[in-house]
Amino acid sequence: MSASPGKQSQKIIPFLRGLSNEFQLVLKKHKEDVQHIQKWMTHQKHLPTISDEFVLLFLHSCEYSLERAKNTIETYFTIRAGVPEFFARRDPKTADIKNSLNVAEMIAVPKSTPSGNRVLLYRLKETEPSKANFVELMKAFFVFADFRISEDGLAPGYIVVFDMKGVSIGHLTRVSLPALKKFMVYIQEAHPARLKAIHVIHCVSFMDRVMALVKPLMKNELMGLLHLHTGGADSIKDIPQEILPEDYGGSAPPTPKIHEMNRLTMEKDYAEWMNAEEAFRADESRRAPGSGKSSSQLFGMEGSFRKLSID
């Protein structure tokens, strides 16, 4: 991919509808930090040219730490170049993404929490394990994640809810370990969003096996955000129940309706945007020695395994 996306692409990435007046003031406030990052990026020949708004997103997600933002930028574009199974051919109307959104529901709860955090909820819609393609589901997850960042702007934070109702041991056997590792590295080191908490509800009886799979890939910081609940969403203290979908006891529209609204918006408004976004990748052929880690260095050797074996 080109390391110098066109000006039109620059303007719409990462916020399709631009930044609100409120966030434009934030951009002005952090103008010097943005310029510092932009100057640094001119010396990173393998990285793409990006807009000030894009730089601001990275700074915001890293609590305006310059060094953390640089590391996140480096890892973000490197992984997106090195993991095409997640980050290539991302038009929401393609068959694999449409199929994944028929298998899983992914929604943003319409109202924020009192502290301003956005709530994202993920659950299975189709519970037959053979219908679930792990890699394609992760691809759809990242399409949805980028869509939400574009829609939400500089969100104060995100609270993520995974509802495990309908998950069986058969789903666990379909997990690709190399893909899971790539997913976990990206979420912890490259995702430009402030993650405040992860709540897993309706935990399954084999949760120990799930944790045995993911815990070795989790840093202490992420482990500290994780909360496991045997009950439902009403056991989550930092999300007022009234803002949840009505199928979770709240006053928002039901989850399937919100999911379909999100899907339609992605297909109608974001197909061209997702295609334009693919121009923003690291170019390994232009990476100077010592300029960050390549994708192979980030993930290490994948080994000969491809799927988890359950005893």
Side-chain angles (χ1 to χ4, degrees), residues 145-198:
D146 283 4
F147 158 67
R148 283 318 320 167
I149 288 174
S150 173
E151 293 285 302
D152 296 336
L154 305 179
Y158 287 92
I159 298 173
V160 176
V161 180
F162 292 104
D163 187 345
M164 295 195 75
K165 188 174 286 187
V167 175
S168 68
I169 198 74
H171 289 101
L172 208 57
T173 65
R174 299 185 66 80
V175 172
S176 160
L177 289 176
L180 178 63
K181 182 176 183 179
K182 293 171 183 176
F183 174 83
M184 295 300 291
V185 171
Y186 181 90
I187 287 298
Q188 295 178 91
E189 299 184 26
H191 191 45
R194 296 179 180 180
L195 188 58
K196 298 297 185 179
I198 303 170

Side-chain angles (χ1 to χ4, degrees), residues 247-271:
D247 43 318
Y248 288 92
S251 58
T255 301
K257 183 174 182 179
I258 300 174
H259 175 72
E260 281 306 309
M261 290 169 59
N262 286 335
R263 181 212 290 266
L264 290 173
T265 301
M266 286 191 288
E267 291 182 359
K268 177 177 178 288
D269 296 346
Y270 278 85

Side-chain angles (χ1 to χ4, degrees), residues 45-236:
K45 301 303 182 183
H46 60 292
L47 294 179
T49 301
I50 64 175
S51 67
D52 288 349
E53 289 81 2
F54 212 159
V55 172
L56 182 66
L57 173 64
F58 287 110
L59 283 166
H60 175 80
S61 69
C62 296
E63 305 285 350
Y64 297 94
S65 164
L66 291 172
E67 290 309 308
R68 284 178 56 199
K70 290 177 184 178
N71 290 335
T72 301
I73 289 170
E74 172 65 51
T75 309
Y76 176 96
F77 292 112
T78 297
I79 292 179
R80 289 191 173 224
V83 189
E85 60 267 39
F86 289 171
F87 296 108
R89 297 176 296 280
R90 306 174 74 221
D91 187 328
K93 298 191 295 294
T94 57
D96 54 353
I97 294 176
K98 288 176 75 74
N99 290 340
S100 293
L101 294 177
N102 286 333
V103 171
E105 291 177 326
M106 308 178 186
I107 73 163
V109 174
K111 291 184 178 180
S112 301
T113 67
S115 56
N117 293 322
R118 300 309 312 268
V119 178
L120 305 179
L121 189 148
Y122 303 87
R123 72 181 189 184
L124 286 177
K125 179 181 180 182
E126 168 59 66
T127 59
E128 168 54 47
S130 65
K131 301 288 187 181
N133 181 309
F134 182 76
V135 172
E136 290 182 358
L137 283 168
M138 294 301 95
K139 182 177 180 178
F141 176 96
F142 286 122
V143 167
F144 176 75
D146 283 4
F147 158 67
R148 283 318 320 167
I149 288 174
S150 173
E151 293 285 302
D152 296 336
L154 305 179
Y158 287 92
I159 298 173
V160 176
V161 180
F162 292 104
D163 187 345
M164 295 195 75
K165 188 174 286 187
V167 175
S168 68
I169 198 74
H171 289 101
L172 208 57
T173 65
R174 299 185 66 80
V175 172
S176 160
L177 289 176
L180 178 63
K181 182 176 183 179
K182 293 171 183 176
F183 174 83
M184 295 300 291
V185 171
Y186 181 90
I187 287 298
Q188 295 178 91
E189 299 184 26
H191 191 45
R194 296 179 180 180
L195 188 58
K196 298 297 185 179
I198 303 170
H199 294 276
V200 183
I201 60 175
H202 299 126
C203 283
V204 291
S205 60
F206 53 90
M207 199 66 198
D208 57 333
R209 299 190 190 188
V210 176
M211 292 306 298
L213 182 63
V214 299
K215 191 174 180 180
L217 303 175
M218 298 176 70
K219 295 182 176 181
N220 290 336
E221 184 179 1
L222 189 63
M223 279 296 299
L225 300 178
L226 181 63
H227 306 274
L228 306 180
H229 309 268
T230 55
D234 55 347
S235 58
I236 302 176

